Amino acid sequence: MTRRPETLLVLGRDTMELQFGAAELARLRAAARLGDPLWTDELASAAARARLAEAEVLITSWGCPPLDEPVLRAAPNLRAVLHAAGSVRDHVGAAVFDRGLLVTTAADANAEPVAQYTLGAILWAFKKVPFLAADARAFREDWRYREHRGELSGRDRTVVLVGFSRVGRRVAALLRLLGLARVLVVDPVAGPDEIRAAGAEPATLAHALPQADVLSLHAPSLPETRHMIGAAELAALPPGAVLINTARGALVDTAALERACTGGLHAVLDVTEPEPLPAASPLYDLPNVVLTPHVAGSLGAETRRMTAEALGELERYAAGLPPRAPVTRHSLAVQA
């Protein structure tokens, strides 16, 4: 018989309201024993520590404070941290792994809307749609402006994916399904055979950049990836290329990006460094730049897919089954 582990939700108030509706709470109650409070956004008060002392499972999401050594000392029965969002980097550290706790992530569910946003951006980038739309406001009935945006074709294009991550793999699969582009993948961790099996070609960054009609970033934000796209890399892109960043703003040197875009580089940026950009950034005023306010990832009803993933992990844990998406000390070192 499946047992019902004592479970506490640790997440922000707005996140609680967003991710846990009536259906999700009913599923939670069926799978776990719950105390009072059901959820908390802090782990320092007497009430939170009392619940923490009982908890075998934490379901976490945005707004979870760090699970550091003092918190873990107050949680002697804790066995699992099931994250109902993407990266666990902000609240899971060495202390969690030192305790041997199970950690899971719902990053796979979060990757879906990011891949969909990226695919849309790539398809529009082929014909320079958002940039021509900006031109239309200035040139109006004089359609000669479309002659100045380079190639406007959706065939025989090359897309370079930097990072064969959860999102990068999905983008590669979607492009393969459509058969519109040659895909080059730059990733020092993924095996070449794995990349080829996905219908893409492994490449180095230096080899891939001069061929990129579209450069799409899907690498994690790590010390070694900070500003991996700088002035030299941007200068290596061919005329008319489009940079898409739905990963992390820190992957790109913002000062170099501002100079490159002022010089004509096209860019679709859902993430920036800093975020948001200062009001004086020239990127706001360039017709060859599209800025969106970090909307590619799960928002609104999309976030409930991540809740469902975490609840699925809870049910598997309670039944003694292995997790679907574990996070280890090693995997966290190379993931977002």
Side-chain angles (χ1 to χ4, degrees), residues 39-314:
W39 69 276
T40 181
D41 59 2
E42 54 83 23
L43 294 171
S45 69
R49 286 296 169 98
R51 285 287 290 119
L52 194 59
E54 301 171 342
E56 180 179 347
V57 174
L58 299 183
I59 294 181
T60 61
S61 189
W62 299 305
C64 177
L67 303 179
D68 54 21
E69 290 185 5
V71 167
L72 295 177
R73 282 197 298 269
N77 299 311
L78 186 61
R79 298 293 180 270
V81 179
L82 313 179
H83 194 46
S87 176
V88 302
R89 192 175 296 277
D90 288 341
H91 66 291
V92 170
V96 171
F97 296 115
D98 289 344
R99 268 276 298 270
L101 302 182
L102 169 67
V103 180
T104 69
T105 177
D108 277 342
N110 190 50
E112 293 293 345
V114 182
Q116 292 163 9
Y117 175 110
T118 304
L119 177 65
I122 289 171
L123 295 180
W124 274 31
F126 287 160
K127 286 185 173 288
K128 305 294 194 304
V129 171
F131 316 113
L132 291 171
D135 289 338
R137 292 185 172 88
F139 293 95
R140 298 183 182 263
E141 75 275 11
D142 183 0
W143 277 12
R144 285 177 295 178
Y145 64 83
R146 71 181 184 181
E147 301 169 4
H148 304 294
R149 290 290 175 200
E151 177 75 21
L152 302 180
S153 169
R155 288 187 60 83
D156 299 326
R157 313 308 297 274
T158 297
V159 175
V160 173
L161 306 178
V162 176
F164 204 49
S165 60
R166 292 179 176 91
V167 177
R169 292 166 192 266
R170 283 167 169 78
V171 174
L174 290 169
L175 289 171
R176 183 182 189 181
L177 183 65
L178 293 174
L180 292 178
R182 172 185 178 225
V183 179
L184 304 181
V185 172
V186 178
D187 191 313
V189 176
D193 291 342
E194 184 182 16
I195 292 171
R196 292 189 185 97
E201 303 170 34
T204 64
L205 190 61
H207 173 72
L209 288 175
Q211 304 179 65
D213 295 301
V214 175
L215 172 64
S216 190
L217 306 183
H218 304 289
S221 182
L222 303 170
E224 55 267 37
T225 63
R226 178 173 173 77
H227 292 182
M228 66 182 298
I229 304 300
E233 290 75 22
L234 295 171
L237 293 169
V242 180
L243 167 68
I244 299 172
N245 192 1
T246 57
R248 292 290 186 268
L251 299 178
V252 183
D253 181 335
T254 300
L257 179 63
E258 289 176 340
R259 292 192 296 270
C261 289
T262 299
L265 175 69
H266 297 83
V268 177
L269 307 172
D270 188 54
V271 293
T272 57
E273 184 190 46
E275 197 169 274
L277 289 168
S281 172
L283 296 175
Y284 284 115
D285 299 315
L286 295 173
N288 49 305
V289 175
V290 173
L291 292 167
T292 57
H294 205 142
V295 298
S298 297
L299 296 174
E302 292 170 333
T303 65
R304 303 256 172 125
R305 291 189 295 195
M306 296 191 295
T307 308
E309 290 290 326
L311 292 174
E313 295 284 26
L314 174 63

